[in-house]
Amino acid sequence: MQLAAIIVSLVLTVVGVALLARAIGQFVRYFKLGQPVPAGTRTDHPYQRSVTLVKEFLGHTRMNRWGIVGIAHWFVAVGFLTLPPTLAQAFGQLFQADWVLPVIGGFLPFEMYIEFIGVMTVLGIAVLIVIRLLSLPSRPGRKSRFAGSKSGQAYFVEYVILTIGLAIYVLRGLEGALHHVDGYEAAYFASYPLVLAFDGLSVGTLQNLVYLVAMIKIGTSFVWMIVVSLNTNMGVAWHRFLAFPNIWFKREADGGTALGALQPMTSGGKPIDFTDPGDDDVFGVSQVEQFSWKGLLDFSTCTECGRCQSQCPAWNTGKPLSPKLLIMSLRDHAHAKAPYLLAGGGTTMEGEEKASAEALKDVPAAALAEAGRPLIGTLDAASDSGSAAGGVIDPDVLWSCTTCGACVEQCPVDIEHVDHIVDMRRYQVMIESSFPSEAGTMLKNLEKKGNPWGLAKKQRLEWTKEVDFEVPVVGKDIEDLSEVEYLYWVGCAGALEDRAKKTTKAFAELLHIAGVKFAIMGGDEKCTGDSARRLGNEPLFQELGMENVMSLNMAFGEETDDEGNVTEETRKPKSAKKIVATCPHCLNTLGNEYPQLGGDYEVIHHTQLLQHLVDEGKLIPVTPVEGLITYHDPCYLGRHNKIYTPPREIIAGVPGLRNEEMHRHKERGFCCGAGGARMWMEERIGKRINDERVDEALALNPDIVSTACPFCLVMLTDSVNGKKNDGKAKESIQVVDVAQLLLESVKTPLDPAGETESEDAPEPEPVK
């Protein structure tokens, strides 16, 4: 028995280690296929990145959002990393059954730790297995977050862990029996029942059992290593290694998610200058090797847990997009195509083949076939999965995304789904001119009129005629913004869309009541470019953005040189350039993306300023607004900019309102369907996202549905009105912005000059 155990274990060990070394080499070569990233963007602040990694792993900060799943996974992960000494001991036990590790073997704290972690690993993986079995993909509809995951691989990994954990537990019992443990000992506090069970067996029998179980433990471990080494696209196994670098190299060194700003377009690791692009610049992603090395790392790290899928508004309304399946498709395609690329395959900018037929003669036929597939293209109808022919990503998948960020927010290994989707959109828009036709109208309007509706710029100021107080305009009523405290960036929707204009007028009136000095732009400003950028038209975004930055800098009293850069003599600190916006999309673009274009401003949302004014006593809600209210979190206010509290505090301060949260709120809030330029595209597949969200709201039977975004206001209002017409919603239900609610409650204008300002209320925190 002993000799057989030694031979089997050593053979599997040698083969496993050799294959693992080969697999690691394959990963290194594979990741090098990706494009470089701008210098320093993934390696800055190494200490902070290391702290983030430790926090995310030891604290399981992202996993623990799901309660028992996170706890169970923590013990499994810690067990995997800290139980290798038991593997070393098993090797020793092949040669001497009662062998113990030197130094730490017999050390009570170590023995107790092994007992505890060993048992908790078994219990943890058992919990995860039960959770998977209770969420089988066979469940009707799209309820299972594991739908589409490679279940066979997952079961293999889970049962391997369970087998190893049980082997450790049995070996502990055998060790106790061999060492003649008499009575209960702390070192065997968990395995003591097994010690008693084995007590009484002969020494020879105990030794043979040790050889057998040690072989099972070692053999299972290295069979696992062999299997995963032969399947480098087995994310459910490889994530336990790749998650560490993927978290360390994440976009934000401080641990923030890859939301908020989109990254500038790059080619060869350098930002593209759209005023004078290089001849060899690559626009967007049309081949998997055009993703950065971090993108390829992202794809390989996916563990197929389906958290992103469970939160995705597109997937939850019957559309083909699943963030998980998208990442899995890119991963499998990249790994299948890798042999072709490593042999020198690929095409030049002119579309010529890089490698000769001679260089590609040894490339497997499957890799050559994979290389012939377009990255974006309709799947082959004759294939169940599309793997045999057709595109890797179906166009309907690409254009279903609302960029809401739910996938990025939920991913436990920090995959940057939205950035990858937008990179693929960029190529489709800029090179192929292939995108939903309705979005073309929006782009033309932006190019010609500077707003998505194509209205004349003079109409931007029409709303000011509908209020009974003066609204100062920069360049007309005041010379520059040094005369006021805030620039109110009204935005296209707030100035041109009838429903959103109600928010604009309400907010402006509240500022007037509170005595806040503010001004607006004169109508020459243009759309911030949010929709254009997220659709994929980066040059148009940059054009609109640079024009706005020049106008804003001039309005703040800064002068520019011949190259458009602010002169040092007139440059003002960020704190002196305050902007307040009612649109979260404008907020995000102005505060997070315009710094990429030379515009650095202190930008806050109107709910932040309003709550500050309430705290200061400059706005006092006194008139009751009766009814049950539920608040909808705008994605670009909440997930993208982490602003959840101010709107809720305002609602809580209005007398008479009874607030009740929808099932999905805050970090798990559900999109309205307008983001990612979807505002301008028709929904033809599945249920409308705004209808799904409104159904959630109506389940509470509210009197008021409130939000803090003009896009959300439009989408929710459209759905509510449709349901009123169908008799599915009561006629009295209202959809309003938080500012409208507050204005309704703030009955008596205060005299700013006669009020004593409170110094206790902190300034609202701007977007960073």
Side-chain angles (χ1 to χ4, degrees), residues 104 172 264 276 298 379 390 430 468 593 604 613 636 682 697 706 759:
I104 57 176
R172 293 290 297 169
D276 185 24
D298 265 1
L379 301 183
M430 297 170 59
D468 56 4
E593 298 185 336
I604 62 171
L613 295 173
Y636 273 78
E682 187 55 57
S706 183
E759 297 181 359

Side-chain angles (χ1 to χ4, degrees), residues 83 118-119 121-122 160-170 217:
L83 288 176
V119 170
T121 297
V122 170
V160 160
I161 296 171
L162 181 62
T163 301
I164 293 172
L166 291 173
I168 292 172
Y169 190 50
V170 172
K217 173 173 168 47

